[in-house]
Amino acid sequence: MSLWLCLRFDQLPLQCLSRSEEHPVVVLARQRVVRANDCAAALGIREGMGSATVRALAGDETVQLLERDPGAEQRSLQQLCCWAYSITPSLYTWREDCLQLEIGGCLNLFQGLDALLSEVHSGIASRGYRVRYALAPTPRAAWLLSFAEDIATAIEHPLEQRLAPLPLALLDDFPTEIDSLRRAGLHTLGDILKLPPSALGRRCGRKFTDVLQQILGQRE
């Protein structure tokens, strides 16, 4: 059975430049906060704030301000990709901060899922990265589940049940369709998974329903 492990490095813009937790570090893009380490967050610094607000919140505290470097992010992701080949030969980068690993075919090599995940945790921790991860039968579903409040490894539960609480906003390739669904009072994946596919297709179009079927493993 196909089993995908999504590793989403949501702190990559920060951690590719600095992994220090000894003092506040903030990454900016166009003078807006993209990421902040725990020390900066403790000062009240949040994503989206302007650099002037950061300085005001810091007061007498010295905050290191770094400019976002997409090139450094991609180099770091490629290095992580090279490491991940020690886990499975079937993998690829996804978006700007994720690795998608097909691990169903290598569980016997690691003598089970727990041992494989332990190896993954150890490898990532030794490189100083934070990661959010999730497991699912399809890569798109694994990516979506990496946004769950709890780290979703309960693969024995039905996929639709695990996806149901997630917000439709995560389907960010379809902003117009999501806006239409929200106006109709639909806000989660569970809301739309209850709809007949034909009705959903009429409202949102074929491409939207094709992607939904890919998420659920009903289409390649």
Side-chain angles (χ1 to χ4, degrees):
M1 183 183 74
S2 180
L3 181 61
W4 288 87
L5 171 64
C6 176
L7 302 175
R8 183 167 62 84
F9 299 92
D10 58 338
Q11 294 296 310
L12 192 62
L14 170 67
Q15 293 192 313
C16 74
L17 300 175
S18 171
R19 294 170 210 171
S20 172
E21 288 295 344
E22 298 177 359
H23 59 273
V25 182
V26 172
V27 177
L28 302 172
R30 298 180 181 178
Q31 298 302 305
R32 292 284 173 183
V33 176
V34 177
R35 295 290 186 277
N37 70 355
D38 290 344
C39 290
L43 297 173
I45 297 169
R46 300 289 183 265
E47 293 178 18
M49 288 182 173
S51 56
T53 304
V54 170
R55 294 187 180 94
L57 287 170
D60 295 332
E61 186 88 29
T62 300
V63 177
Q64 185 178 8
L65 301 178
L66 303 174
E67 191 67 24
R68 185 173 188 177
D69 186 344
E73 293 171 35
Q74 289 309 300
R75 288 190 293 273
S76 294
L77 193 62
Q78 287 300 324
Q79 290 168 2
L80 287 162
C81 191
C82 291
W83 156 76
Y85 277 113
S86 67
I87 306 297
T88 175
S90 303
L91 75 158
Y92 60 93
T93 58
W94 172 253
R95 300 206 170 194
E96 58 188 14
D97 61 356
C98 294
L99 296 179
Q100 294 279 16
L101 285 66
E102 202 295 305
I103 60 171
C106 58
L107 292 179
N108 288 338
L109 177 65
F110 287 89
Q111 299 183 334
L113 179 60
D114 289 344
L116 184 149
L117 292 177
S118 178
E119 183 71 19
V120 169
H121 287 314
S122 175
I124 292 172
S126 69
R127 287 160 176 79
Y129 288 97
R130 294 186 187 181
V131 68
R132 292 189 63 85
Y133 74 91
L135 293 160
T138 70
R140 284 180 178 267
W143 179 78
L144 287 167
L145 288 166
S146 74
F147 290 89
E149 290 297 325
D150 57 332
I151 296 177
T153 59
I155 56 177
E156 68 274 12
H157 298 306
L159 180 58
E160 291 192 17
Q161 177 184 326
R162 297 169 65 207
L163 290 168
L166 295 172
L168 288 179
L170 291 175
L171 301 177
D172 53 7
D173 290 334
F174 301 95
T176 302
E177 291 82 353
I178 297 308
D179 186 56
S180 172
L181 291 167
R182 281 174 173 164
R183 290 198 302 270
L186 306 172
H187 301 284
T188 67
L189 288 174
D191 290 337
I192 64 171
L193 291 175
K194 295 174 184 175
L195 297 176
S198 57
L200 189 61
R202 286 193 298 272
R203 175 178 286 274
C204 298
R206 177 67 180 271
K207 186 176 180 181
F208 183 89
T209 55
D210 283 354
V211 167
L212 196 60
Q213 288 175 346
Q214 288 175 347
I215 291 168
L216 297 173
Q218 299 166 351
R219 174 184 289 271
E220 289 292 330

